[in-house]
Amino acid sequence: MTNAASSSPKLFETVALGPLTLPHRLVMAPLTRNRATPEGVPTPLMATYYAQRASAGLIIAEASTPNAVGQTYPNITAIHSPAHVAGWRRVTDAVRAEGGRMFLQIQHGGRAGHPDTSGLTPVAPSPVALPETIHTPAGRVPSVVPREMTTEDIASTVADFASAARNAIEAGFEGVEVHSANGHLLHQFLAQGTNRRTDAYGGPVDHRIRFVVEVTEAVAAAIGPERVGLRVSPWSTVNGVEEGDTEEIYPALLGALAESGLAYLHVGYADPEDPVFQRIRKDWPGTLIANPVLPKDRIPDDGGLAHAERLLTAGADVIALGRPFLANPDLIRRMRTGAPVNQVRDAYLMYVGGETGYTDYPALPPGA
């Protein structure tokens, strides 16, 4: 084995993030795994899964909905009831017992939902349907046209995000990540293809960023900005989103939030060569987490180490990895020593439930 840490000294240095000092710069990205109950309550199996990965500098737990209508898929987690808080408390206690730290990502699916899953018609900035089928308890079915949100809906959703953040702190999380990426509700407000409103929340960029700013500021006011991160994914077309004017959206959004004192900005699908990423690094005064684009068909043999180093060189402060942590509960040890990595078993990635492809990925034996 080679000593990978010797060629990546910065990656394994401590770093400040909000109220925390992380032991190194590698954090676990949020990964939807559909292992909660149908009501969105985290299960004991989830506590095992996250505790196995407690050596991450920070675990950003999977997307949890702030209200019932925000649910995307079956068996995803939520954070809007006492049962959700209690379930997540078991998870955070298990991770803390192993020396780990957790933030919770809060996500509203917007149009990426279905009545067969939530019992409710999804809501969105405009009545524009998801241009693909969606997974429900009965399998994949055609998407439905969402109901356009009223200004009252917008205000109540902002309040729901703030309440969800308070619930997350009660559940033992160190903070929360507001999800404004991957074609979900907040991203739908940013994008021209899904936001066709003509009021104060649609049209020009400064109107389309308004909802994201209001949600983020409300969450920061509820629990303190130093406990709040924001995730964005410029250029992303996940869930059929079409931004239209990416180069204008993100300077405006970050300009509105730059002085807010947030714990971090998290950029998904980060490309160090992308001018938008470079502009984000220039404009964002605080901690920047970057999530690199790894090959779709396999985890790199180094676990993503080279991708991480390129992003650190491009100005990122912290690196978020998803699939490498999913398949390697001891990813940090493997990266430090240059040990081989496990590959993901894609058939068990989502929807199937159970231990297989979840808590049964092997760790290195002691002394290896």
Side-chain angles (χ1 to χ4, degrees), residues 313-329:
T313 299
D317 301 295
V318 177
I319 306 301
L321 296 175
R323 288 175 296 141
F325 273 111
L326 186 161
N328 298 274

Side-chain angles (χ1 to χ4, degrees), residues 12-362:
F12 296 99
E13 293 175 351
T14 61
V15 61
L17 187 146
L20 304 176
T21 298
L22 307 188
H24 51 77
R25 297 172 186 262
L26 283 166
V27 307
M28 180 175 170
L31 293 158
T32 297
R33 300 303 305 279
N34 304 76
R35 260 70 174 190
T37 70
E39 296 75 30
V41 177
T43 59
L45 185 65
M46 291 176 57
T48 299
Y49 167 77
Y50 280 115
Q52 289 174 340
R53 291 154 178 79
S55 61
L58 174 72
I59 294 173
I60 307 173
E62 63 203 83
S64 291
T65 57
N67 54 30
V69 75
Q71 183 176 3
T72 50
Y73 312 119
N75 302 102
I76 67 165
T77 59
I79 188 66
H80 55 84
S81 80
H84 300 143
V85 171
W88 274 121
R89 169 61 76 171
R90 289 189 289 269
V91 175
T92 60
D93 284 349
V95 170
R96 190 169 287 110
E98 295 296 326
R101 299 140 295 276
M102 297 187 80
F103 269 44
L104 178 67
Q105 187 184 74
I106 304 177
Q107 170 201 276
H108 189 303
R111 70 175 184 171
H114 198 279
D116 289 355
T117 301
S118 67
L120 301 166
T121 300
V123 297
S126 301
V128 181
L130 188 73
E132 55 198 61
T133 60
I134 188 167
H135 191 78
T136 73
R140 298 201 73 89
V141 300
S143 302
V144 299
V145 176
R147 178 174 63 81
E148 180 171 306
M149 295 174 73
T150 66
T151 53
E152 291 78 13
D153 291 328
I154 290 172
S156 66
T157 302
V158 170
D160 288 342
F161 268 87
S163 178
R166 288 189 289 268
N167 286 343
I169 299 302
E170 184 180 350
F173 288 97
E174 304 286 354
V176 303
E177 178 176 281
V178 174
H179 193 22
S180 182
N182 295 6
H184 295 292
L185 181 65
L186 274 67
H187 199 185
Q188 291 162 26
F189 269 87
L190 295 178
Q192 289 180 335
T194 44
N195 186 345
R196 301 178 184 178
R197 305 174 71 96
T198 58
D199 63 1
Y201 293 91
V205 166
D206 62 335
H207 286 190
R208 298 201 319 271
I209 68 171
R210 186 187 304 270
F211 179 59
V212 179
V213 172
E214 289 181 355
V215 167
T216 306
E217 289 181 342
V219 170
I223 64 172
E226 74 282 359
R227 295 183 179 274
V228 179
L230 174 68
R231 191 180 197 201
V232 297
S233 57
W235 302 113
S236 172
T237 58
V238 175
N239 286 312
V241 74
E242 296 178 3
E243 292 179 332
D245 48 5
T246 302
E247 299 92 337
E248 297 177 26
I249 292 170
Y250 293 95
L253 178 62
L254 302 191
L257 292 172
E259 303 304 318
S260 58
L262 298 183
Y264 64 82
L265 178 71
H266 182 178
V267 179
Y269 311 106
D271 177 356
E273 304 300 323
D274 179 11
V276 173
F277 175 81
Q278 295 169 358
R279 174 71 186 271
I280 286 172
R281 177 64 285 184
K282 178 176 178 292
D283 289 351
W284 185 249
T287 299
L288 182 68
I289 299 179
N291 176 213
V293 180
L294 300 181
K296 291 183 178 181
D297 60 339
R298 63 179 284 107
I299 297 170
D301 291 340
D302 65 1
L305 189 66
H307 289 76
E309 290 176 332
R310 284 195 291 272
L311 283 167
L312 289 175
T313 299
D317 301 295
V318 177
I319 306 301
L321 296 175
R323 288 175 296 141
F325 273 111
L326 186 161
N328 298 274
D330 57 347
L331 179 66
I332 302 306
R333 183 182 173 201
R334 292 173 189 265
M335 280 192 161
R336 284 183 181 276
T337 63
V341 297
N342 302 321
Q343 291 296 322
V344 171
R345 286 170 272 160
D346 287 333
Y348 301 98
L349 189 62
M350 293 172 67
Y351 308 134
V352 297
E355 299 177 3
T356 304
Y358 191 60
T359 55
D360 65 342
Y361 281 105

